Amino acid sequence: DAGVTQSPTHLIKTRGQQVTLRCSPKSGHDTVSWYQQALGQGPQFIFQYYEEEERQRGNFPDRFSGHQFPNYSSELNVNALLLGDSALYLCASSTLQTSGRALSYNEQFFGPGTRLTVL
Amino acid sequence: GQQLNQSPQSMFIQEGEDVSMNCTSSSIFNTWLWYKQDPGEGPVLLIALYKAGELTSNGRLTAQFGITRKDSFLNISASIPSDVGIYFCAGQLISQFYFGTGTSLTVIP
């Protein structure tokens, strides 16, 4: 059973460029969330995709966009890169489940991350 | 966004000692999770808690979901060198997960 996979592992870009990061969720999971983790910080939520739509979004500018495909895999796109975008980008997958009348998400599992360096 | 305060920020302990760290929030969460992250890797889920007051163990790790639903703690008993890493708490609210600031653990052999 494959866990969450991400590609590429590392990426170096220059300011102003655009980047696309990819994520495949854990088998059986249908929800993908993206996080940005700066050095020495906890992960910060960027957005979440479910049923090929963005469902939730954190406090990130429109330069950050995403997509989810029918097979549940996802992409994170960042345009007009800034030096401050240098970080570890983490993908996490989960699945929505019902518990009585409440909808809740099962625990998230993270991929190994993509280390983005912007020069 | 939601603010999770995690303490202590860092710990230096002798091998064999017990460790305790906690996480508090101003918001009520539906789920509390504890993760361990090694350098350059993604966080690995250690324990998930779903009900207020719930106490759950995973080997030498024990975590509790606070009664107020605004806090959680993680205990590690009889620490070993491979426990070294950064531990993060995370709280789930609706469909989002919010992370604490992390506790860096160093185990001295």
Side-chain angles (χ1 to χ4, degrees):
Chain A
D1 178 22
V4 181
T5 59
Q6 290 186 245
S7 63
T9 305
H10 296 86
L11 206 50
I12 298 175
K13 292 284 188 178
T14 56
R15 279 180 299 175
Q17 284 190 311
Q18 178 264 344
V19 68
T20 297
L21 310 181
R22 295 177 176 82
C23 170
S24 291
K26 181 178 170 64
S27 177
H29 285 186
D30 53 16
T31 302
V32 173
S33 301
W34 286 93
Y35 292 82
Q36 180 194 66
Q37 187 177 24
L39 202 60
Q41 305 286 324
Q44 297 291 316
F45 176 76
I46 302 175
F47 44 53
Q48 181 184 77
Y49 277 82
Y50 171 69
E51 290 186 336
E52 302 179 48
E53 291 187 12
E54 183 182 296
R55 299 292 178 166
Q56 297 281 340
R57 189 178 184 92
N59 189 26
F60 279 80
D62 292 344
R63 298 187 297 109
F64 289 78
S65 63
H67 188 77
Q68 186 178 35
F69 299 93
N71 67 353
Y72 308 121
S73 66
S74 177
E75 288 182 349
L76 164 65
N77 301 294
V78 186
N79 295 322
L81 285 167
L82 304 174
L83 295 179
D85 295 332
S86 295
L88 180 68
Y89 287 85
L90 296 163
C91 167
S93 74
S94 56
T95 185
L96 183 65
Q97 61 183 10
T98 57
S99 175
R101 278 179 275 179
L103 290 175
S104 64
Y105 284 85
N106 206 343
E107 57 262 26
Q108 291 188 123
F109 291 84
F110 283 85
T114 294
R115 172 69 63 186
L116 172 65
T117 301
V118 182
L119 302 176
Chain B
Q2 304 296 325
Q3 188 77 20
L4 269 67
N5 299 307
Q6 195 171 340
S7 64
Q9 186 175 5
S10 61
M11 301 180 74
F12 293 81
I13 62 170
Q14 293 285 340
E15 183 178 356
E17 289 185 349
D18 297 343
V19 173
S20 183
M21 58 190 78
N22 67 74
C23 201
T24 60
S25 170
S26 57
S27 301
I28 291 174
F29 288 111
N30 301 323
T31 302
W32 281 95
L33 307 169
W34 285 92
Y35 289 89
K36 178 175 182 280
Q37 187 174 26
D38 292 327
E41 298 183 12
V44 174
L45 182 65
L46 299 174
I47 291 180
L49 303 157
Y50 298 102
K51 296 180 182 178
E54 179 181 355
L55 184 71
T56 297
S57 293
N58 178 8
R60 294 179 295 105
L61 278 60
T62 302
Q64 185 160 30
F65 192 142
I67 292 292
T68 64
R69 296 169 63 191
K70 294 183 178 182
D71 63 320
S72 177
F73 73 75
L74 174 70
N75 287 338
I76 305 173
S77 62
S79 59
I80 58 178
S82 62
D83 290 334
V84 165
I86 301 178
Y87 291 80
F88 288 100
C89 63
Q92 180 202 341
L93 185 61
I94 307 176
S95 62
Q96 287 196 34
F97 291 82
Y98 301 89
F99 281 78
T101 48
T103 294
S104 175
L105 178 64
T106 300
V107 180
I108 303 168

